[in-house]
Amino acid sequence: MKMRRYAVLLGLILVVGVVLSACGSGGSSEQGGSSNGFKTAMVTDTGGIDDKSFNQSAWEGLTQFGKDNDLKEKEGYDYLQSNSASDYAANLNRLVQSNTDLIFGVGFKLAEDISKVADQNKETHFAIIDSVVEKDNVASIVFEEQQGSFLAGVAAATKSESGKIGFVGGEESELIKKFEAGYVAGAKSVNKDIEVDVQYAGSFGAPDKGKLIASNMYNSGVDVIYHSAGGTGNGVFAQAKDLKNNDPEGNYWVIGVDRDQYDEGQIGDNNVTLTSMLKAVDVAVAKVAQQSKDGSFPGGEIVSFGLKDDGIGIAETNKEAYTDDIKTAVDEWKQKIIDGDVTAPTTDDELKAYVDSL
């Protein structure tokens, strides 16, 4: 009888041991562990998940990662939307408290809060997009936006009939200045005398302001506008489509940003999207998420994407507007950048030096 009790007790001890061992080897608390229980999520900036640009592209990448790994939305992958800058830290901490393994901060504006929260939660993986945070548990994802913007400038100058083009930025910052400098340099490379009207809306979430700026630009003779303004850029598209609707023969072109914005320019049988500067945020997000899940998270590293590795590019979707002469010019300058013969500027000083050298 005693032997039987002993055997039962020993069996229970073994079962408990197996259960405890399983809990220690997986689940959301272990970085890069098995797929069982792995959780990742992103915190948007104020542009929102449906900005048809940066945040949306990041979410598409995270969604693709989730599908590739048989994860369920809201369980294996998710997002929290920020309505103001004060939401960043709260959203990051909320995800930490829900045992999320990898947390993305979408946009340079989250860098400060990512740095603080990462310091307080060293066992959690973080990734910041468009900024550098020097922490061992943070991967910094950056892009050579000036390269793609340079090509956007080449396309704009080649397409323009008025000799006047525009640039609409969201908030003026070191990052968005890369877009501006590259764009102006590319345009000036095609036509040194071209006029470039540069204006900032002061927000990435103000489509009404974007529409007003675009209206003033088009009225002044600008016929191509490149926007790097997130949700504010939706207003640029809206104004171009309004004008095209009233004047089907007029030139009211928009160059999209971050993702292919061809659909945003569709109006009846016409489309005002000349091209888009493609920034593979979706590819970058999916890649880093997979690395975290597989145990090879690039913590403390800067992960850079440019023309050479197809992290940056130019859309050719609008075959009617993006003509052969534009494609030829863009391809020529793209190769020069890849070969190192041309370095796209990133600042006002670099832009001035570049233009002076033409």
Side-chain angles (χ1 to χ4, degrees):
M1 191 73 172
K2 288 182 179 180
M3 286 297 293
R4 184 177 178 183
R5 288 181 190 165
Y6 177 77
V8 171
L9 181 61
L10 180 60
L12 288 172
I13 291 173
L14 289 172
V15 169
V16 171
V18 169
V19 171
L20 290 175
S21 176
C23 289
S25 63
S28 60
S29 61
E30 182 179 357
Q31 303 302 323
S34 67
S35 60
N36 294 327
F38 183 84
K39 293 173 63 177
T40 182
M42 55 177 264
V43 175
T44 75
D45 70 6
T46 54
I49 199 68
D50 56 353
D51 62 355
K52 298 180 176 61
S53 183
F54 190 72
N55 289 281
Q56 186 169 333
S57 184
W59 177 238
E60 287 170 354
L62 203 63
T63 299
Q64 187 60 53
F65 163 78
K67 291 179 178 178
D68 289 345
N69 289 274
D70 296 322
L71 302 178
K72 294 182 179 180
E73 186 177 344
K74 301 297 183 185
E75 295 179 15
Y77 64 100
D78 200 359
Y79 74 89
L80 294 181
Q81 186 150 313
S82 303
N83 296 314
S84 67
S86 62
D87 292 333
Y88 298 154
N91 283 338
L92 291 168
N93 281 308
R94 180 178 164 189
L95 291 175
V96 169
Q97 291 164 8
S98 67
N99 295 319
T100 306
D101 297 280
L102 169 64
I103 302 170
F104 288 90
V106 184
F108 68 93
K109 294 168 73 175
L110 279 84
E112 183 177 349
D113 289 304
I114 284 274
S115 181
K116 292 178 181 178
V117 177
D119 253 347
Q120 299 163 357
N121 301 277
K122 297 184 183 298
E123 298 305 313
T124 302
H125 288 166
F126 296 86
I128 180 72
I129 299 174
D130 275 350
S131 188
V132 174
V133 173
E134 297 179 347
K135 304 290 180 184
D136 289 341
N137 57 333
V138 180
S140 300
I141 301 171
V142 297
F143 297 84
E144 302 288 346
E145 293 94 352
Q146 72 278 6
Q147 295 180 348
S149 296
F150 187 103
L151 300 184
V154 170
T158 306
K159 187 69 174 180
S160 178
E161 295 181 6
S162 67
K164 296 181 68 175
I165 61 175
F167 174 84
V168 177
E171 295 182 25
E172 190 167 352
S173 64
E174 182 178 331
L175 172 66
I176 306 304
K177 292 296 286 187
K178 290 170 65 179
F179 289 83
E180 177 195 332
Y183 178 64
V184 175
K188 294 284 186 179
S189 296
V190 173
N191 176 8
K192 190 174 181 179
D193 296 324
I194 197 167
E195 295 181 38
V196 187
D197 186 354
V198 175
Q199 296 189 44
Y200 283 83
S203 171
F204 290 103
D208 289 346
K209 186 68 177 293
K211 195 174 191 301
L212 177 61
I213 292 174
S215 175
N216 292 333
M217 283 188 178
Y218 288 126
N219 287 338
S220 73
V222 166
D223 54 3
V224 184
I225 298 176
Y226 173 40
H227 89 86
S228 178
T232 298
N234 295 338
V236 176
F237 277 105
Q239 181 61 25
K241 289 193 289 186
D242 283 351
L243 291 170
K244 190 68 174 179
N245 188 49
N246 293 324
D247 179 16
E249 300 303 318
N251 293 321
Y252 310 103
W253 298 109
V254 183
I255 296 179
V257 74
D258 295 336
R259 60 196 297 271
D260 189 349
Q261 295 192 306
Y262 176 82
D263 289 345
E264 315 318 315
Q266 194 68 47
I267 175 171
D269 295 330
N270 291 312
N271 194 301
V272 299
T273 304
L274 172 61
T275 182
S276 298
M277 197 284 279
L278 304 177
K279 183 174 169 180
V281 177
D282 54 342
V283 174
V285 166
K287 178 179 179 179
V288 172
Q290 194 66 53
Q291 288 175 315
S292 178
K293 176 181 171 296
D294 292 344
S296 56
F297 178 68
E301 299 179 19
I302 297 175
V303 186
S304 182
F305 296 86
L307 286 176
K308 281 186 177 180
D309 49 18
D310 295 325
I312 291 290
I314 288 289
E316 301 180 5
T317 315
N318 193 342
K319 300 297 183 182
E320 185 174 345
Y322 193 84
T323 52
D324 289 342
D325 61 328
I326 296 176
K327 176 175 171 52
T328 298
V330 167
D331 288 348
E332 177 185 342
W333 286 98
K334 176 181 178 180
Q335 195 59 49
K336 289 180 180 180
I337 294 174
I338 291 175
D339 291 342
D341 297 331
V342 170
T343 300
T346 62
T347 66
D348 287 338
D349 289 342
E350 290 179 3
L351 174 61
K352 183 179 185 305
Y354 179 83
V355 173
D356 288 344
S357 71
L358 294 175

